Amino acid sequence: KAYKDIIANGHDKGSFLELNNYSYILNHEGLNKNIVSAVDVNYDYLCNEMFWYMTASEDLASLNKIKSTGNNRSSETEFSNSAYGHIIFKRHGYNQLEQVIECLSKDKNSRRAVINFNVPDRHRIDIKDEICTYALQFYINDDKLNCTCMMRSNDSYGCLPYDLAFFTELQKYVAFSLGISCGTYTHFAVSFHLYKRDLEKVAKIKPHRDIEFNLVNLVSQLPNLIPIAKYDYFYKDIVNIFKKFGVLCLN
């Protein structure tokens, strides 16, 4: 539906089509089924990116050298400005995710349970790796945890599936930690766009595929998805990472 909206109503910006102030909502069922099944997601890259976020790393080499996927990131330096895991867990000197949990634990009606990504930057005009997400805000209604994502810029084909996978897993983790279930996930992008280079790929999308994504399912598939032993330098702490994250406890 999103791609049909962009193609039908998007502003032609030369190399891409754009809708402004675009939003949609996933309900509880949508949070647990088929988050990334609409497009041909690169599961190899998805796995690596998810684990990279969880390690709180900002080192691009540990992500990009695993496999050249077409999703590889670039930056002016060897470090990623938009390393979401590093931003959440380490960059500002404290763990933003744990603060969200503490905030809502103390006051279930709080409006301060926010993870900030994009911050003031004097190099914003020229930097290659400008952070696309403004913030995630978490709030409780009817004893269910809801999340709203606000983005300045969102590539609907190349980035959205991966963003959705990570952000909704964060929502599940907060809900799990609070002992409540998930409500809705609302996604809002000032620039929701589709590059013309991806139009042919979008045209081949099948609306329904029998693929579900969640961390439990992802980890169970790892031996088939990635030759882990080959990347032992990256996965040596994977069990501890997942245990610390709290959603999974692997043997």
Side-chain angles (χ1 to χ4, degrees):
K1 182 183 184 303
Y3 295 139
K4 288 180 179 178
D5 287 345
I6 294 177
I7 293 171
N9 304 305
H11 299 284
D12 191 331
K13 296 299 182 76
S15 62
F16 62 94
L17 303 175
E18 179 185 61
L19 287 175
N20 298 117
N21 304 319
Y22 189 81
S23 66
Y24 52 86
I25 299 175
L26 298 178
N27 59 27
H28 175 67
E29 181 179 356
L31 286 171
N32 290 287
K33 291 185 178 181
N34 302 319
I35 289 296
V36 293
S37 65
V39 296
D40 293 324
V41 171
N42 186 317
Y43 281 93
D44 190 340
Y45 182 85
L46 176 61
C47 291
N48 286 300
E49 184 178 63
M50 187 73 72
F51 300 144
W52 184 63
Y53 286 152
M54 290 181 182
T55 62
S57 174
E58 59 178 344
D59 178 17
L60 280 173
S62 62
L63 180 68
N64 285 344
K65 75 178 180 181
I66 291 173
K67 184 178 181 180
S68 178
T69 63
N71 298 74
N72 287 13
R73 302 188 183 204
S74 61
S75 177
E76 287 80 355
T77 69
E78 61 187 296
F79 301 106
S80 171
N81 188 46
S82 57
Y84 286 165
H86 189 266
I87 293 170
I88 293 171
F89 303 121
K90 187 179 293 185
R91 181 167 296 176
H92 300 293
Y94 70 101
N95 188 320
Q96 293 196 73
L97 189 64
E98 294 305 322
Q99 186 189 61
V100 163
I101 295 168
E102 181 182 1
C103 188
L104 290 174
S105 295
K106 291 181 176 179
D107 179 5
K108 68 178 183 179
N109 297 317
S110 178
R111 300 182 295 273
R112 301 184 181 188
V114 176
I115 292 176
N116 290 107
F117 293 90
N118 195 299
V119 294
D121 186 352
R122 68 179 65 190
H123 304 294
R124 174 167 293 143
I125 294 176
D126 301 314
I127 193 172
K128 293 179 182 178
D129 188 19
E130 173 67 352
I131 302 170
C132 293
T133 306
Y134 289 131
L136 295 176
Q137 182 163 350
F138 301 86
Y139 49 98
I140 298 173
N141 286 329
D142 302 321
D143 292 322
K144 292 183 179 180
L145 182 75
N146 304 284
C147 177
T148 295
C149 172
M150 292 154 279
M151 303 192 74
R152 66 168 187 86
S153 177
N154 197 194
D155 176 356
S156 62
Y157 185 86
C159 295
L160 175 63
Y162 305 91
D163 292 336
L164 274 182
F166 183 54
F167 294 155
T168 55
E169 287 303 324
L170 291 177
Q171 181 179 357
K172 292 173 192 176
Y173 173 66
V174 175
F176 173 85
S177 300
L178 294 172
I180 59 179
S181 60
C182 289
T184 60
Y185 171 87
T186 301
H187 194 88
F188 175 86
V190 176
S191 171
F192 191 68
H193 51 268
L194 174 64
Y195 287 100
K196 292 181 180 178
R197 64 173 182 255
D198 295 323
L199 282 171
E200 185 175 341
K201 300 172 187 175
V202 168
K204 296 179 181 178
I205 288 176
K206 297 179 180 180
H208 301 289
R209 291 171 57 199
D210 295 328
I211 296 176
E212 295 185 7
F213 174 83
N214 57 56
L215 283 179
V216 176
N217 190 38
L218 185 69
V219 172
S220 69
Q221 295 182 50
L222 276 178
N224 299 322
L225 292 172
I226 305 174
I228 297 177
K230 182 178 179 181
Y231 305 121
D232 183 63
Y233 68 91
F234 189 72
Y235 289 103
K236 61 182 180 180
D237 295 323
I238 184 173
V239 173
N240 289 331
I241 291 167
F242 272 111
K243 285 183 177 180
K244 184 175 181 180
F245 201 64
V247 179
L248 303 178
C249 186
L250 306 180
N251 293 325

